[in-house]
Amino acid sequence: MPYPDQWEADVVLADGGTAHLRPIRADDAGLLREFYARLSPESIYYRFFSPRPRLTDREVEHFTTVDYDDRVALIATIGGAMVAVVRYDRLRPGADTAEVAFLVEDAHQGRGVASVLLEHIAAAARERGITRFVADVLPENRRMSKVFREAGYKAEQRYEEGVLTLNLDLEPTETSREVMAAREHRAESRSIGRLLSPRSVAVIGASREEHSVGQSALRNLLAGGFAGPVYPVHPSATAVCSVRAYKTVADVPGDVDLAVVAVPAEAVADVVAQCAAKDVHGLVVLSSGFGETGPEGRARQNELVRLARAGGMRVVGPNCLGIANNADGLNATLAPTLPRHGPIGFFSQSGALGITILQWAAERDLGLSTFVSAGNRADVSGNDLMQYWEEDPDTAVVLLYLESIGNPRKFTRLARRISRSKPIVAVKSGRTTQGVPLGHAAQALSLPDHAVSALFAQAGLVRVDSLGELFDVAQLLAYQPLPRGDRVAIVGNSDSIGLLVQDAATVAGLRPRRPVDLGPEAGPADFTAALEEAFADEGTDAVVTVFAPAVHGGKTSDVAAAIVAAADRADTPVIAAYLGERGLLHGSVPSYPAPESAVRALAYAVRYAGWRRRPHGRIPDLPGVDRDRARALVEELAGQETPSPERTAALLACYGIAVGGAGHGIATRISTSEDPSFGAIVSFGLDDVTAELLEDRAYRLAPLTDVEAAEMVRAVRTAPLLLGHRGAEPVDTGALEDLLLRASRLADDLPEVARLDLEPVLAGPAGAVVRGARLRLAGPHARPAEDARRLRPS
């Protein structure tokens, strides 16, 4: 078989470093010999069960010459050197079982290389029709035994003649998927941790020219209070900003964890190679001239990422503002000042907006734990940062400014998990076009924007419309408890502003109580008493307090202090429209310049808190589902883009969906599609011209939970027609929900089903009848494999 380049992958290891995986080639003989020469006698003995100081020429040829079918080997390389190899040999031609063996260089053992190799060799084996691995392991080789045992596959073992024989069923299980996802999460989180918590930093391209990128980065690092050494790198200067400089990063006497790169784009590749040789952990590339400039820059950007990952490094940028970690005093950005230390993690794709964003955050007194500006986002992405922030004790709220989403399927999966413990607030540009900026590795989204919003809402993500709203919501979620419900008390010294708050709350879908007007002369004691009375009322879920200055003026700071003191003693969120101020009162109570802004932020928080509280349901067991039969039918239909009605009905019957029969009721439509960005999508709506013109459809990711199926039926604007509008008898919504669950399960199980339309589905009081069905099939690899974790644009 030809060389399978689809098996090549960049991966993140357990300690956050990276490696390149690829099939072995016949010209790897030299790499194999060098690799073998670095192995300890113990590692060789564990692999071959006997001493073997060197490999013969015949053995080298045997190990490097494979057919990529019955005999396959994958190698892991870092910096061009082979550090590990895994191979399988089919027991006999046509057999579904193969023997598997690993060998990992001693210096790289304990980094999770073997676990990654097992994931990828198993995926390759399944692609070649192999369903079982057999491995012989010496009992004392506990590390390798652990790799097999903890992979999550169904396994059997037997001990015979001093050798432990393991049999692994390669069919992915729920456990194996969880193991791979957990490994990926830990690895990617640690890779970001290495970037944000370096022990030392080199600024490559540090310049003597005032206000240059290199000098700005160096000055900000030195002024930020970073405790570790900072090394300027300049080709000729002996010192920059009064700090000793070095000609190249290789000349730096100590270790370098992080390199901030500010050299011309054409020189970056050489710098990356030097950093790899220096064992630098990560790169922040401030330089422009990459993907944002066109095809030549795109090629240069791809080469940057390839070299960095091959050298074990992650990359922030290029064309970015930089990164910051307030806990460590790390300001590796071009921004001269940062907001104070606080509970908010901020990811921004825009370098141009970065300084402005940080300035706005500082003006509102919002505290940041960490900040990352990804620029062209060639490698490190918002998905990586979310995994880091999920476990970061310094981060309670995540803010995202997104211009593109490289891996939306992964993005929504992460958001769904993280949002259950930490709010994620996002603003995405390009709502009207769904386009992406030049230079980004992502593709444009194919779904309409309201569908994207629905999928984000399903994941618990708080999507806002502007940067102003992003900060408005952040200052509430970061510094106040979540609302218990949508009942809002209004306390203030202005009857007119109180009424504005009441109107705005009603429009936002909240339930405001009648405003409590304390009068223009109200002082601190009046506000304290009114607030404590509101807190004591079980019908209060949140409080909006309004303060406007009296006509005669006078001191007002005591009122602000009273509001803050009362809020600090309560577990009910308090927000303020105080003197038109924007930011935080005394560091804790959010204040907004207009009452409408305050209420809008509160409404976002109420919806998010409701998502947190409500049951998310479960993916139910569906009687009558025959997944194996469905898989066999799809394989039989390979090459038929539009199967016949009979074959379509047969496939649907595997999921308990019957087509045809008598029925009457309201015409609805259930559709599934395999979206290139999100994966399997389910949509629901009425099957009429008005619903089509208004795009009145509900969208969710498959597979649906029982709760999500029920929500979909009620999410469309025309849902009252199904629920008994004007005294009509309600339809059997349970039957519609069951059809949605079955269609979503089919879409999730069979990515070859590019589109399925159940139309019309007649919903009546006695059930739902599918009157017609259309099916379109795509190739067998329509969805990127999730069973071998690799670095992808994300």
Side-chain angles (χ1 to χ4, degrees):
M1 286 193 174
Y3 178 84
D5 54 10
Q6 75 272 17
W7 291 348
E8 292 197 11
D10 293 321
V11 297
V12 184
L13 304 179
D15 61 356
T18 62
H20 183 67
L21 267 57
R22 64 171 175 83
I24 203 167
R25 300 188 297 254
D27 61 1
D28 287 326
L31 280 182
L32 179 61
R33 285 193 174 92
E34 293 170 1
F35 163 69
Y36 199 84
R38 296 192 299 271
L39 296 173
S40 68
E42 181 183 56
S43 293
I44 294 172
Y45 184 81
Y46 283 161
R47 168 63 178 87
F48 295 105
F49 297 4
S50 66
R52 191 173 298 194
R54 65 187 61 84
L55 295 176
T56 66
D57 290 345
R58 185 175 179 179
E59 288 172 328
V60 169
E61 182 181 4
H62 173 77
F63 289 139
T64 56
T65 306
V66 296
D67 60 9
Y68 306 120
D69 184 10
D70 291 338
R71 299 178 60 247
V72 168
L74 302 179
I75 65 172
T77 64
I78 299 176
M82 182 190 303
V83 299
V85 60
V86 61
R87 62 181 299 111
Y88 78 68
D89 291 87
R90 202 186 297 260
L91 295 186
R92 60 183 181 281
D96 63 0
T97 303
E99 185 176 5
V100 66
F102 293 83
L103 193 52
V104 179
E105 184 178 334
D106 297 69
H108 296 275
Q109 292 176 10
R111 302 186 65 196
V113 182
S115 296
V116 176
L117 285 172
L118 179 58
E119 291 176 16
H120 286 257
I121 197 73
R126 287 192 293 270
E127 194 174 316
R128 295 296 189 247
I130 292 171
T131 62
R132 181 174 291 272
F133 275 163
V134 176
D136 289 334
V137 182
L138 290 174
E140 56 267 36
N141 190 358
R142 295 182 180 86
R143 181 170 281 171
M144 191 54 61
S145 299
K146 183 179 179 182
V147 169
F148 287 114
R149 286 197 311 271
E150 296 184 352
Y153 296 114
K154 294 179 182 176
E156 300 174 355
Q157 66 179 46
R158 70 176 187 275
Y159 182 78
E160 191 174 311
E161 296 183 358
V163 175
L164 186 66
T165 299
L166 299 167
N167 286 270
L168 272 70
D169 185 342
L170 299 184
E171 177 67 24
T173 66
E174 191 64 31
T175 301
S176 71
R177 292 188 181 97
E178 289 175 358
V179 167
M180 286 186 279
R183 184 199 62 75
E184 175 197 46
H185 167 67
R186 290 192 303 269
E188 293 188 1
S189 175
R190 287 171 183 166
S191 74
I192 300 304
R194 297 205 317 175
L195 283 165
L196 289 171
S197 298
R199 294 165 299 180
S200 56
V201 182
V203 180
I204 304 175
S207 173
R208 288 177 164 179
E209 184 180 342
E210 194 173 1
H211 304 305
S212 64
V213 170
Q215 186 178 106
S216 296
L218 179 61
R219 285 191 181 279
N220 294 340
L221 265 170
L222 296 173
F226 179 62
V230 177
Y231 304 107
V233 175
H234 189 284
S236 59
T238 57
V240 180
C241 297
S242 300
V243 179
R244 180 182 174 183
Y246 299 88
K247 187 174 182 179
T248 70
V249 70
D251 297 320
V252 173
D255 294 333
V256 174
D257 286 345
L258 178 69
V260 179
V261 180
V263 301
E266 57 272 14
V268 168
D270 288 340
V271 167
V272 173
Q274 294 169 17
C275 289
K278 183 67 175 176
D279 196 26
V280 172
H281 291 166
L283 304 171
V284 174
V285 182
L286 307 177
S287 313
S288 57
F290 289 89
E292 77 281 4
T293 64
E296 183 179 348
R298 165 74 69 181
R300 189 181 294 123
Q301 181 169 300
N302 292 341
E303 180 67 2
L304 158 64
V305 175
R306 186 191 69 79
L307 290 172
R309 289 176 174 174
M313 298 174 287
R314 300 299 304 271
V315 180
V316 177
N319 189 34
C320 71
L321 184 73
I323 66 175
N325 182 351
N326 271 328
D328 293 345
L330 175 73
N331 182 7
T333 77
L334 299 179
T337 58
L338 293 176
R340 65 180 174 88
H341 187 209
I344 298 172
F346 201 135
F347 173 82
S348 170
Q349 285 183 351
S350 172
L353 271 177
I355 293 178
T356 301
I357 286 172
L358 292 174
Q359 182 63 34
W360 287 351
E363 289 174 357
R364 290 176 181 245
D365 197 29
L366 291 180
L368 299 187
S369 58
T370 42
F371 170 81
V372 173
S373 162
N376 291 1
R377 205 211 47 159
D379 179 21
V380 168
S381 70
N383 287 350
D384 295 303
L385 268 297
M386 285 199 297
Q387 299 202 79
Y388 171 78
W389 282 321
E390 181 178 9
E391 297 182 354
D392 179 28
D394 284 346
T395 301
V397 176
V398 172
L399 301 188
L400 306 173
Y401 174 72
L402 303 173
E403 294 177 330
S404 63
I405 306 172
N407 190 337
R409 185 176 176 84
K410 180 176 179 179
F411 176 77
T412 51
R413 171 169 58 85
L414 292 174
R416 196 174 202 168
R417 184 180 76 222
I418 297 167
S419 293
R420 290 177 183 144
S421 58
K422 295 182 180 182
I424 302 172
V425 189
V427 59
K428 182 186 178 299
S429 62
R431 293 188 73 126
T432 57
T433 64
Q434 296 293 69
V436 300
L438 188 65
H440 285 220
Q443 59 184 345
L445 299 180
S446 58
L447 292 173
D449 188 67
H450 71 89
V452 175
S453 291
L455 300 183
F456 284 1
Q458 181 187 6
L461 185 137
V462 182
R463 186 182 186 188
V464 297
D465 294 327
S466 66
L467 282 172
E469 287 187 1
L470 185 78
F471 290 125
D472 286 347
V473 177
Q475 63 190 45
L476 194 166
L477 293 175
Y479 295 98
Q480 290 294 304
L482 289 177
R484 292 183 294 269
D486 59 0
R487 299 166 300 180
V488 182
I490 304 167
V491 175
N493 69 341
S494 168
D495 183 54
S496 59
I497 300 179
L499 290 174
L500 285 175
V501 172
Q502 185 178 23
D503 290 342
T506 303
V507 170
L510 305 178
R511 291 188 291 167
R513 295 166 56 187
R514 184 177 181 83
V516 175
D517 181 18
L518 302 177
E521 302 298 327
D526 302 300
F527 273 88
T528 298
L531 287 171
E532 289 182 347
E533 182 178 350
F535 297 148
D537 188 335
E538 292 184 357
T540 298
D541 298 316
V543 178
V544 179
T545 181
V546 174
F547 180 75
V551 174
H552 56 72
K555 292 186 177 181
T556 60
S557 59
D558 290 346
V559 172
I563 294 172
V564 171
D568 289 346
R569 293 192 297 269
D571 59 359
T572 300
V574 178
I575 61 176
Y578 181 88
L579 290 176
E581 289 189 13
R582 185 192 301 273
L584 297 173
L585 300 179
H586 295 264
S588 64
V589 173
S591 180
Y592 301 88
E596 294 84 358
S597 298
V599 171
R600 186 166 50 241
L602 178 60
Y604 278 118
V606 166
R607 287 193 290 271
Y608 168 69
W611 181 89
R612 283 266 292 260
R613 285 193 307 271
R614 71 172 176 81
H616 296 282
R618 62 183 183 86
I619 299 173
D621 294 327
L622 299 173
V625 172
D626 189 344
R627 183 182 178 187
D628 292 338
R629 174 61 180 154
R631 166 57 55 198
L633 281 174
V634 165
E635 291 174 357
E636 291 175 14
L637 294 171
Q640 300 182 37
E641 183 176 349
T642 55
S644 67
E646 294 76 17
R647 304 302 291 273
T648 297
L651 182 60
L652 293 176
C654 295
Y655 285 85
I657 301 173
V659 181
H664 66 277
I666 299 173
T668 65
R669 186 176 72 187
I670 294 173
S671 300
T672 73
S673 60
E674 184 65 24
D675 185 81
S677 296
F678 286 95
I681 303 290
V682 186
S683 65
F684 170 79
L686 265 59
D687 187 31
D688 63 23
V689 175
T690 303
E692 183 177 351
L693 286 173
L694 296 176
E695 235 319 292
D696 185 22
R697 299 193 65 75
Y699 293 84
R700 296 293 187 274
L701 293 169
L704 297 174
T705 67
D706 50 2
V707 170
E708 290 166 346
E711 287 177 344
M712 286 192 75
V713 173
R714 293 156 180 81
V716 293
R717 283 169 285 175
T718 44
L721 296 176
L722 303 171
L723 304 177
H725 183 58
R726 291 187 175 180
E729 189 174 2
V731 308
D732 183 355
T733 55
L736 286 175
E737 293 163 20
D738 183 70
L739 279 173
L740 282 165
L741 289 168
R742 293 177 183 277
S744 83
R745 186 71 57 84
L746 183 153
D748 189 59
D749 288 346
L750 306 172
E752 296 89 346
V753 176
R755 186 168 183 89
L756 169 66
D757 289 298
L758 304 180
E759 179 187 18
V761 177
L762 299 180
V769 177
V770 179
R771 294 288 296 159
R774 296 188 304 277
L775 186 69
R776 181 167 61 84
L777 297 179
H781 303 299
R783 186 184 304 163
E786 290 284 334
D787 56 356
R789 304 283 169 169
R790 63 191 69 206
L791 281 170
R792 298 188 182 95
S794 54

